[in-house]
Amino acid sequence: MSARRLVTLPRAFLALLILFVVLQWGIHATGSAILIFFPLVGTGATLSFRLIRKSIWRLRNRLYVTYVFIGVVPIVLILALTLVGTYIVTGQVAAYLVSAELQRRAAALVSPARALSEAKPSDRAAVAVQIGRILAQRMPHLEIVVAGDQTFHYPPDSKLAPPPAGWKDYTGNLSKSGVYYSAAFVKTGNVIAAALAPVDDDVLKNLVPGIGALRIGAEGPFAGTVPPAEPGWERLDFTTPWGNDLHLEDWDSPQSSRTSIFFVTTRPSAVLRTVFSNGLDTAQVVTFVFVALFVTLVLVQLGSWIIGISLTRTVTGAVHGLYEGTQRIAKGDFSWRIPVKGKDQLAELGKSFNNMTAQIENLVVIAKEKERLESEVEIAGEVQNQLFPRAVPEMRTIELVGVCQAARMVSGDYYDYLCLPDGNLALAIGDVAGKGISAALLMASIQSIMRTQLAAGLARSAAAGNGHSPARLSTSNMVAQLNRQLYANTAPEKYATFFFGVYEEQSGVLTYTNAGHLPPLLLRDGNSQRLEVTGTVVGAFPVSHYEEQTVQIQPGDMLIAYTDGITEPENAYGEEFGADRLSETALRYQNSEPGEVVARIMEAVAQWSAAPELPDDMTVIIAKGLR
């Protein structure tokens, strides 16, 4: 069936091609030719695909096709891109020059209009005469009308009516009774001055000298002529028609704008002469560009064929050996070795193939072990997620939120908060040295120790109160006990930075101890201050002295505690995100909900680093005073 289709498909393609030629150029039936064109293209594409697929099964033919794509296709694409790019750049630059000149022309009317609107009625005639002398050559047929205290026209015989009600200050292009104007409206008190200069064919001819033919609107003749092509480069210095949007206001409908189109027909040499108006020889520029491009393409072509010939001599033999080897491996013969010749990459490929057969069994064992370890790490990550607080304590005076994004499946960062029996709140954040499983285990130990010490400390405080109000919980003692236990039960190189605080609901005072952790930020009234560090890291020394500090959390204040995964990510230039940028980001969203602030911080850090994955664990706790 497939052979039959291969026989009939070329005939069908030939019949469609003959029919298309007859219809298009024989009897000039363009409509019918269009209907034949689409099946002709489809049949031709299918036939080409089948012929190419059949012919490139052999490696040698496939290399020939590769040479075409390496040596010919890039040159064709570069030439096509050069021509298309030249066309687009020429048209766009010409349109920009015209648009910019129209805008400058309108901007030149602002000062005269303002001068007349601010002048006394008795002085307007003298001011108008001076303006007319200045703008006579650049703005032929300029008309100015001033309305408000009295109506004034320039020139005196002008019939320009006062602008309709509703006009405000405006500078730009204007349409009035089908005529295009450069216009400026200036309103001073109840006086409004309108300056209009028509944009007719004479203006368009001299708007950008030498740029080409211009036309505003979809109909009508072009003003000006297209410059002649550069001698010797007539085929490359082609005519470039281009259109661009033109923003217009309507005289009769103030503040009601519409978009028209202006067209410019130019050449690349005309744009070059206009842009480089300092006497640059356009022919020299074009010659240099095309000679450099031609030399580059020749070098690329020669290099492509040299590489292709070298590959032809080496690839075919190596591929045959690999093909025979894969057939043996498919049958389970892992003792087969292919012959290796030479010292190039193909020889190394043969050696790698031989080594592969000896390592396949080991790789299968390693893959299974890796799968088991990944499963265990995933379980560890799920267990660790259960250790973080599941619910945020509901407090009357502060709103709290905490987030941890792990760089790996498990995290070495720690944060926790707990509502105490007396209605106060304990919160903590820490960063364990290192990453991975060991850091996650130490993080779990810190949480267990802190919760145990917190329960014991609450019991001691209640006992010290002798039935009265319990004694205040000492954050420094809690951190000191944590340090002793970590040092006694962990390896010497294991330590962590730690911040622990107790917030008193009634007074709004936060008592804290900072053991070598990054100073939290306190945002208040648009300013940011850092809470000082009161001791060294925990777990590094058997005995360390820690102090505690207090800070008042007022309504509207925001406390931000974070780990180095927030401040240390670097951008492409090696600059860290830093605490200052963290502070700027938080201040920008200080009036938002804490959850929104956390999201914005994470987003800012991710955009700063632009890394595909997190370089370190990112943890943030935000406590905001409620109003």
Side-chain angles (χ1 to χ4, degrees):
M1 182 65 182
S2 59
R4 182 180 177 183
R5 291 178 62 185
L6 287 174
V7 171
T8 58
L9 191 61
R11 295 179 179 177
F13 175 75
L14 182 60
L16 289 172
L17 179 61
I18 295 174
L19 182 60
F20 176 79
V21 172
V22 171
L23 292 175
Q24 179 68 26
W25 289 285
I27 61 176
H28 301 288
T30 304
S32 300
I34 293 176
L35 296 178
I36 298 299
F37 176 76
F38 293 103
L40 175 64
V41 171
T43 306
T46 305
L47 179 61
S48 301
F49 175 76
R50 291 180 178 178
L51 293 175
I52 291 174
R53 186 178 61 179
K54 182 179 179 180
S55 62
I56 65 175
W57 188 91
R58 293 180 60 87
L59 180 60
R60 180 177 300 176
N61 295 336
R62 183 161 297 191
L63 287 175
Y64 290 154
V65 175
T66 302
Y67 299 157
V68 171
F69 281 99
I70 291 176
V72 178
V73 173
I75 296 177
V76 174
L77 290 178
I78 291 173
L79 290 175
L81 289 175
T82 301
L83 293 175
V84 173
T86 302
Y87 181 89
I88 294 175
V89 171
T90 300
Q92 191 61 40
V93 171
Y96 169 77
L97 293 174
V98 173
S99 178
E101 187 59 33
L102 285 173
Q103 193 63 32
R104 283 194 294 269
R105 176 182 169 84
L109 297 174
V110 175
S111 296
R114 178 175 287 107
L116 288 174
S117 68
E118 295 176 354
K120 297 179 180 179
S122 58
D123 297 336
R124 285 174 183 159
V127 173
V129 171
Q130 295 179 0
I131 292 172
R133 291 174 182 173
I134 297 173
L135 300 179
Q137 184 174 1
R138 186 179 179 185
M139 304 285 182
H141 311 296
L142 170 66
E143 293 185 275
I144 301 176
V145 60
V146 182
D149 50 5
Q150 67 179 27
T151 301
F152 172 80
H153 287 88
Y154 176 83
D157 58 350
S158 172
K159 303 299 183 181
L160 181 63
W167 275 107
K168 299 180 180 179
D169 289 355
Y170 170 72
T171 305
N173 301 300
L174 184 77
S175 174
K176 179 177 180 295
S177 301
V179 180
Y180 300 105
Y181 292 88
S182 297
F185 291 82
V186 176
K187 192 170 184 180
T188 303
N190 64 338
V191 177
I192 183 170
L196 277 71
V199 183
D200 51 20
D201 290 348
D202 293 335
V203 172
L204 290 177
K205 290 178 183 178
N206 301 307
L207 191 64
V208 182
I211 196 64
L214 303 177
R215 184 183 73 192
I216 298 180
E219 299 178 355
F222 279 86
T225 58
V226 181
E230 193 72 22
W233 299 90
E234 287 79 2
R235 293 187 178 182
L236 296 178
D237 195 14
F238 46 82
T239 303
T240 307
W242 194 264
N244 202 14
D245 292 342
L246 179 65
H247 177 77
L248 293 172
E249 296 286 342
D250 192 343
W251 169 271
D252 297 319
S253 302
Q255 310 304 322
S256 175
S257 61
R258 66 182 179 89
T259 300
S260 183
I261 299 177
F262 72 86
F263 297 91
V264 55
T265 303
T266 184
R267 296 182 187 275
S269 61
V271 173
L272 288 174
R273 279 193 296 267
T274 303
V275 174
F276 300 102
S277 57
N278 55 355
L280 180 67
D281 190 345
T282 307
Q284 292 181 358
V285 174
V286 175
T287 302
F288 173 79
V289 171
F290 279 95
V291 168
L293 180 61
F294 176 76
V295 172
T296 302
L297 294 179
V298 169
L299 293 177
V300 171
Q301 181 76 5
L302 291 176
S304 300
W305 282 105
I306 292 173
I307 294 174
I309 294 172
S310 177
L311 287 175
T312 303
R313 299 178 60 184
T314 57
V315 170
T316 53
V319 169
H320 176 73
L322 289 173
Y323 177 76
E324 186 176 0
T326 54
Q327 296 298 314
R328 295 297 186 100
I329 295 298
K331 297 177 181 179
D333 184 7
F334 295 105
S335 63
W336 175 261
R337 298 293 183 268
I338 64 174
V340 177
K341 297 180 182 180
K343 297 182 179 180
D344 55 8
Q345 190 177 24
L346 288 173
E348 293 298 324
L349 179 61
K351 295 178 182 179
S352 298
F353 182 87
N354 291 334
N355 293 332
M356 178 190 67
T357 59
Q359 296 177 358
I360 287 180
E361 187 174 0
N362 292 333
L363 290 176
V364 171
V365 174
I366 293 173
K368 290 183 179 180
E369 181 66 16
K370 181 179 179 181
E371 182 179 355
R372 183 185 65 83
L373 290 176
E374 289 179 349
S375 177
E376 292 179 357
V377 171
E378 184 176 357
I379 295 174
E382 294 177 357
V383 172
Q384 186 185 44
N385 288 334
Q386 301 300 320
L387 298 178
F388 289 117
R390 294 188 178 183
V392 178
E394 295 185 2
M395 309 293 292
R396 292 182 293 102
T397 58
I398 62 170
E399 184 177 0
L400 194 69
V401 66
V403 173
C404 176
Q405 291 187 4
R408 302 180 181 177
M409 298 189 70
V410 291
S411 170
D413 282 0
Y414 162 74
Y415 80 92
D416 199 2
Y417 33 71
L418 184 65
C419 189
L420 304 179
D422 56 1
N424 296 333
L425 176 71
L427 57 90
I429 188 172
D431 188 359
V432 177
K435 300 180 181 65
I437 296 292
S438 61
L441 292 175
L442 185 57
M443 171 265 189
S445 299
I446 291 176
Q447 185 199 49
S448 176
I449 293 171
M450 281 306 300
R451 292 221 169 189
T452 302
Q453 292 294 338
L454 187 59
L458 291 173
R460 287 193 299 270
S461 298
N466 296 323
H468 302 288
S469 60
R472 185 178 63 84
L473 190 65
S474 174
T475 59
S476 59
N477 290 339
M478 295 283 293
V479 176
Q481 293 175 16
L482 172 65
N483 174 71
R484 287 193 293 271
Q485 293 199 29
L486 282 181
Y487 183 84
N489 297 288
T490 59
E493 68 275 7
K494 294 298 182 182
Y495 62 90
T497 64
F498 193 71
F499 176 88
F500 177 70
V502 175
Y503 175 75
E504 297 180 2
E505 177 83 312
Q506 185 174 1
S507 63
V509 174
L510 174 68
T511 304
Y512 68 90
T513 296
N514 189 340
H517 195 73
L518 295 174
L521 301 176
L522 179 63
L523 309 184
R524 176 177 295 167
D525 299 330
N527 297 314
S528 172
Q529 69 179 71
R530 303 182 184 183
L531 305 186
E532 63 179 285
V533 177
T534 60
T536 187
V537 298
V538 293
F541 305 101
V543 177
S544 296
H545 177 69
Y546 298 95
E547 298 179 357
E548 55 186 51
Q549 298 288 340
T550 60
V551 63
Q552 182 78 30
I553 306 296
Q554 300 177 1
D557 289 355
M558 182 178 293
L559 178 70
I560 304 177
Y562 54 93
T563 61
D564 56 6
I566 297 294
T567 56
E568 291 185 357
E570 298 179 349
N571 62 5
Y573 302 100
E575 298 174 312
E576 292 186 350
F577 185 74
D580 292 337
R581 291 185 179 87
L582 171 61
S583 176
E584 293 174 1
T585 303
L587 286 172
R588 193 178 304 122
Y589 300 100
Q590 184 178 2
N591 296 326
S592 303
E593 296 294 329
E596 174 71 11
V597 178
V598 170
R600 295 297 184 180
I601 291 174
M602 296 293 188
E603 179 183 358
V605 175
Q607 292 179 352
W608 177 262
S609 65
E613 59 183 16
L614 298 178
D616 198 359
D617 303 327
M618 299 171 58
T619 305
V620 178
I621 293 180
I622 292 183
K624 183 176 183 181
L626 299 177
R627 299 182 182 277

